[in-house]
């Protein structure tokens, strides 16, 4: 038995699929296909840069992408992004199938989290198809849902098993073959004590956020928070796909464009409050953010806006249902964090210690095996 994975490009960012397959790769051969997109490119700087990056990968051929423990075989075929064109679809299918040994009777487990990949798969009777749905693509920024919709419908129909990360997504899928598979956490990475990052030196009353800075982030809320609490210092970490110039211009805001994933705990363990300042939109309603369990493992109080997935953690997360409520809960969290007699770290970590990526991978393998 071997695994073939269609997901985001390996190493681009530490997604849940990458975390799971770092574990699975310890026992099974894993082939990972890059370059499978979900929208047609446009003529702009960002898309041209992305295309050139993919061409560079394709020129490099098939490479071994290093993981922390065992390499995954990463494939970089030339894939045409016009997934609604039958000629492009035929070309893409040939590009994928010629890199796989389909003459063997060994079963292949296809793990698909990018719906357009279904058009490239030649499924045999002994094979198994798993759809891992981590987002509501009808609301996901950067996705051409008109292009993706037909592929996702076909994938849902053909899949033997479907895993979803939230109750909202669970309700949208066929009940007889769909299960919840919430995100896990690299518990040791975020719970073992790290030294404070140098960029936190000389800062006090630090409130922090890390992750993608995109259309789902409530920038107006963060501006309001920074202005209302000039004695707090907001540290914002992540690649910005939206205009945050008004926010980062404030004197009590530090913006760090990107850092390596393994360095995040050197921030989240040592600032006073972790933030989940999300907008109320379709994408957030369906999400289950990876950073929530990472924040809890780091042990600092977490303040969040309201969305369905955070409701299960209401005993350990301070939830604000409007801007005023959010700011008030940040104040409360600051008091908690500075109280030397209150052990917030232990109960926070106990909430997530049983949700390691090893346990998530073991759940998947137990069902397949």
């Amino acid at each position: 038995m071997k695994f073939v994975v269609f997901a985001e490009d390996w190493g681009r960012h530490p997604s849940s699929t990458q975390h799971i397959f770092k574990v699975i790769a310890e026992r099974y051969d894993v082939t990972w296909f890059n370059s499978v997109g979900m929208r047609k490119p446009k003529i702009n700087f960002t898309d041209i840069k992305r295309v050139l990056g993919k061409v560079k990968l394709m020129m490099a051929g098939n490479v071994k992408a290093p993981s922390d423990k065992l390499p995954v075989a990463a494939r970089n075929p030339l894939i045409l992004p016009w997934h609604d064109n039958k000629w492009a679809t035929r070309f893409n299918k040939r590009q994928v199938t010629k890199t796989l040994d389909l003459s063997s009777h060994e079963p292949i487990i296809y793990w698909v989290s990018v719906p357009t990949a279904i058009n490239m798969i030649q499924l045999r009777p002994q094979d198994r198809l798993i759809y891992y749905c981590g987002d509501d693509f009808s609301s996901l920024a950067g996705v051409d849902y008109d292009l993706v919709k037909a592929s996702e419908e076909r994938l849902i129909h053909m899949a033997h098993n479907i895993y979803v990360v939230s109750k909202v997504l669970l309700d949208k899928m066929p009940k007889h073959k769909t299960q919840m598979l919430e995100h896990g956490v690299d518990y040791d990475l975020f719970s073992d004590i790290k030294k404070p990052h140098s960029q936190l030196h000389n800062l006090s009353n630090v409130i922090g956020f890390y992750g993608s800075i995109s259309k789902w982030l409530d920038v107006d809320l963060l501006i309001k928070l920074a202005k209302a609490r000039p004695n707090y210092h907001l540290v914002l970490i992540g690649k910005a796909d939206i205009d945050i110039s008004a926010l980062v211009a404030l004197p009590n805001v530090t913006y760090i464009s990107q850092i390596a994933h393994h360095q995040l705990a050197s921030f989240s363990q040592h600032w006073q409050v972790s933030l989940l300042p999300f907008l109320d939109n379709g994408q957030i309603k369906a999400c289950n953010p990876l950073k929530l369990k990472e924040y809890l493992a780091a042990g600092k109080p977490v303040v969040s806006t309201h969305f369905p997935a955070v409701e299960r953690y209401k005993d350990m997360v301070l939830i604000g249902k409007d801007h005023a409520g959010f700011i008030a809960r940040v104040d409360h969290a600051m008091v908690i964090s500075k109280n030397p007699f209150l052990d917030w770290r232990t109960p926070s970590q106990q909430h997530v210690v049983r949700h390691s990526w090893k346990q998530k991978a073991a759940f998947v393998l137990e069902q397949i095996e």
Side-chain angles (χ1 to χ4, degrees):
M1 182 172 72
K2 61 183 179 181
F3 287 85
V4 173
V5 181
F6 293 89
E8 69 295 321
D9 292 354
W10 179 270
R12 189 177 169 208
H13 59 83
S15 68
S16 53
T17 298
Q18 289 190 39
H19 285 300
I20 289 170
F21 276 91
K22 282 182 180 180
V23 179
I24 291 178
E26 294 177 349
R27 294 175 55 186
Y28 293 99
D29 288 338
V30 177
T31 299
W32 186 289
F33 280 95
N34 295 324
S35 305
V36 181
M38 289 191 287
R39 67 180 179 87
K40 300 172 187 176
K42 299 176 181 178
I43 301 176
N44 57 47
F45 175 78
T46 301
D47 281 10
I48 291 173
K49 183 179 178 182
R50 180 114 169 96
V51 168
L52 290 175
K54 285 185 175 291
V55 170
K56 185 178 179 180
L57 280 175
M58 294 167 196
M59 295 293 287
N62 298 328
V63 299
K64 290 287 185 179
S67 74
D68 293 338
K69 298 176 182 177
L70 196 70
V72 170
R75 308 299 186 191
N76 304 299
L78 173 60
I79 298 296
L80 302 178
W82 298 278
H83 299 287
D84 53 351
N85 181 284
K86 66 178 181 179
W87 303 109
T89 296
R90 289 177 184 174
F91 175 84
N92 291 343
K93 191 170 186 177
R94 285 197 301 270
Q95 290 291 97
V96 169
T97 55
K98 73 182 182 182
T99 66
L100 300 174
D101 181 11
L102 298 180
S103 63
S104 168
H105 292 292
E106 182 182 17
I108 294 176
I109 310 299
Y110 290 96
W111 179 283
V112 178
S113 59
V114 181
T116 48
I118 188 59
N119 305 309
M120 308 171 202
I121 294 173
Q122 183 177 320
L123 204 63
R124 305 168 301 167
Q126 68 267 38
D127 298 335
R128 193 169 194 85
L129 177 62
I130 295 173
Y131 177 27
Y132 178 65
C133 182
D135 291 288
D136 181 352
F137 292 109
S138 66
S139 305
L140 185 61
V143 170
D144 181 355
Y145 189 58
D146 291 336
L147 181 68
V148 171
K149 183 179 180 182
S151 296
E152 186 178 35
E153 290 173 350
R154 184 167 178 245
L155 176 57
I156 291 170
H157 174 72
M158 292 178 60
H160 296 95
N161 298 86
I162 300 173
Y163 294 119
V164 296
V165 301
S166 70
K167 178 66 165 56
V168 171
L169 293 172
L170 185 69
D171 292 340
K172 293 184 176 184
M173 299 294 175
K175 288 184 169 44
H176 67 283
K177 59 180 177 181
T178 305
Q179 289 178 276
M180 187 83 84
L181 181 62
E182 284 193 356
H183 293 317
V185 62
D186 189 337
Y187 181 79
D188 292 340
L189 175 63
F190 286 92
S191 63
D192 292 347
I193 299 298
K194 310 291 189 300
K195 292 182 179 179
H197 197 278
S198 59
Q199 298 216 46
L200 291 180
H201 293 172
N202 302 318
L203 297 181
S204 59
N205 298 329
V206 180
I207 52 179
F209 168 87
Y210 65 75
S212 297
I213 301 172
S214 194
K215 293 180 180 179
W216 52 80
L217 194 71
D218 194 338
V219 176
D220 289 340
L221 169 58
L222 292 178
I223 291 173
K224 188 178 292 186
L225 170 61
K227 288 182 175 180
R229 300 292 183 269
N231 57 317
Y232 296 170
H233 198 99
L234 171 62
V235 173
L236 196 64
I237 303 170
K239 181 176 178 291
D241 296 322
I242 57 174
D243 181 11
I244 57 171
S245 57
L247 175 61
V248 300
L250 297 174
N252 59 332
V253 175
T254 294
Y255 172 58
I256 303 167
S257 60
Q258 275 183 313
I259 63 168
H261 184 258
H262 70 270
Q263 293 183 304
L264 291 173
S266 65
F267 285 90
S268 59
Q269 289 180 354
H270 299 285
W271 56 38
Q272 279 65 58
V273 182
S274 297
L275 303 179
L276 291 172
F278 296 144
L279 289 168
D280 182 14
N281 60 25
Q283 180 175 348
I284 295 302
K285 283 184 171 71
C287 81
N288 187 333
L290 279 169
K291 65 181 67 62
L292 172 55
K293 289 188 177 74
E294 293 174 352
Y295 280 170
L296 290 172
K300 292 296 185 179
V302 181
V303 177
S304 176
T305 53
H306 183 266
F307 56 95
V310 81
E311 189 67 27
R312 288 186 55 202
Y313 297 87
K314 61 185 178 182
D315 292 339
M316 285 308 305
V317 176
L318 302 171
I319 303 171
K321 297 194 175 181
D322 55 29
H323 284 189
F326 186 91
I327 294 172
R329 280 153 183 79
V330 172
D331 291 337
H332 186 195
M334 188 67 72
V335 172
I336 292 171
S337 187
K338 290 185 168 189
N339 188 335
F341 302 105
L342 180 61
D343 178 18
W344 188 270
R345 177 183 174 86
T346 300
S348 177
Q349 292 178 337
Q350 286 175 345
H351 259 64
V352 294
V353 67
R354 291 172 292 181
H355 290 276
S356 71
W357 289 115
K358 284 188 177 181
Q359 290 164 318
K360 301 299 179 182
F363 171 77
V364 171
L365 289 176
E366 181 181 8
Q367 294 195 321
I368 293 170
E369 291 167 345

